[in-house]
Amino acid sequence: MASSNGGIVGVDNPVQVQAEQVTTFNSTGTLTTQPLTSQVQYVIVAGGGAGSGGVGGGGGAGGYRSSVPGENSGGGASAESLHPVSGNSPYPVVVGAGGVRGATEGTTGTNGSNSSFDTVTSTGGGVGGGFAGATASPGGSGGGGANTTGTANQGYGGVGGVNVPGVFYRNGGGGGASAAGACDTPASPPAPPYIGAPGGAGVTTAITGTPQTLGGGGGGGHYTTLPGNIQGTGGAGGGGNGNALPGAPPQPGQPGNAGTANTGGGGGGGSGNLGLGGNGGSGKVIIKEPALTIASGMWSMDAVYDNVSAGTWTNA
């Protein structure tokens, strides 16, 4: 007769307890699930795109996907469904690298690389384009320097730049996970302050218990022959600042700032002649296995029959 299961005939069906586990991947690896895990929450951020040189557009943020209940995925989407898994099983995790800037101001850099967990993939951020000839691309979030698109449910697009030839050049910010890049048209004639275009903001998650913002777009590069330039800020979530080159006569260009590592932030656009863009930030993958307590309190008749037939049923 069972001693602690409420008087039900047979042996006790013991309580099984599994603690919550959150695993953060800043580089490619493998997640081995705990024995009782059957579904997980995830945040998957791809690598950010590189910014462009020569008064360049900011890079787009890496695509952002989330299945955390009550939070958002990128591009304004709601959280996705929890992902089914098997307990005590290995699953591949890929963390995408950030895009690499072009070697010259007119050379197009690269998009960020995809990140993934099992079968769920986030798309790398788009590279920024520039006035010197580099071409912007779509991506998880699109690169600035042209009107680009982000991937549905992952991020927003970047925007093109504006200029007053010989006087004022402002290139667009890269898209972020929660907002598009921007580029305001200057006053006519331009008047200070001359502020570079910002990258789009990322998404905030509390999957680890501590809020963090990921997936910010890179700020656009900026140049004017007039004094008083202010750099275009990268979007919250690791976007690199664009550079702002002030004043006449023309000065050597300055590079954009890199997106922050393991945020999926886009690189900032460079400013002036020979100012290169910033590299994109690498991505991140976070997996959360929930705490579980499994206790049926009794054995099913099928389980009783199987154990009796196998000779494994004993009174406790």
Side-chain angles (χ1 to χ4, degrees):
M1 187 75 69
S3 59
S4 60
N5 65 357
I8 297 171
V9 175
V11 297
D12 292 329
N13 192 0
V15 174
Q16 300 179 79
V17 178
Q18 178 175 284
E20 177 183 284
Q21 181 168 290
V22 179
T23 307
T24 298
F25 291 87
N26 290 322
S27 59
T28 296
T30 300
L31 174 79
T32 299
T33 54
Q34 299 185 88
L36 302 181
T37 301
S38 62
Q39 55 186 9
V40 297
Q41 300 174 24
Y42 57 74
V43 169
I44 304 172
V45 187
S52 179
V55 191
Y64 183 103
R65 296 183 65 174
S66 171
S67 68
V68 181
E71 295 188 359
N72 292 324
S73 279
S78 299
E80 301 174 359
S81 299
L82 301 183
H83 187 69
V85 296
S86 298
N88 200 30
S89 298
Y91 290 90
V93 176
V94 175
V95 175
V100 178
R101 69 188 185 186
T104 67
E105 62 175 313
T107 302
T108 303
T110 63
N111 285 11
S113 298
N114 296 348
S115 291
S116 62
F117 166 70
D118 192 23
T119 60
V120 185
T121 300
S122 291
T123 304
V127 64
F131 289 127
T135 302
S137 295
S141 293
N147 293 328
T148 60
T149 58
T151 301
N153 304 325
Q154 295 191 31
Y156 288 88
V159 295
V162 295
N163 68 85
V164 177
V167 178
F168 183 98
Y169 299 87
R170 173 190 289 160
N171 220 328
S178 74
C183 190
D184 295 335
T185 301
S188 182
Y194 307 108
I195 302 173
V203 173
T204 299
T205 178
I207 187 173
T208 65
T210 301
Q212 57 185 307
T213 304
L214 304 168
H222 183 58
Y223 172 76
T224 176
T225 58
L226 307 170
N229 279 358
I230 300 173
Q231 64 186 6
T233 55
N241 292 335
N243 214 308
L245 184 65
Q251 302 175 34
Q254 298 296 316
N257 293 278
T260 303
N262 298 123
T263 66
S271 65
N273 296 326
L274 306 180
L276 303 181
N279 293 332
S282 53
K284 181 188 290 283
V285 176
I286 308 172
I287 307 298
K288 181 176 181 178
E289 300 176 68
L292 295 170
T293 300
I294 299 176
S296 68
M298 61 185 294
W299 292 83
S300 70
M301 292 304 296
D302 286 341
V304 172
Y305 176 82
D306 290 342
N307 279 274
V308 170
S309 298
T312 56
W313 185 264
T314 59
N315 291 329

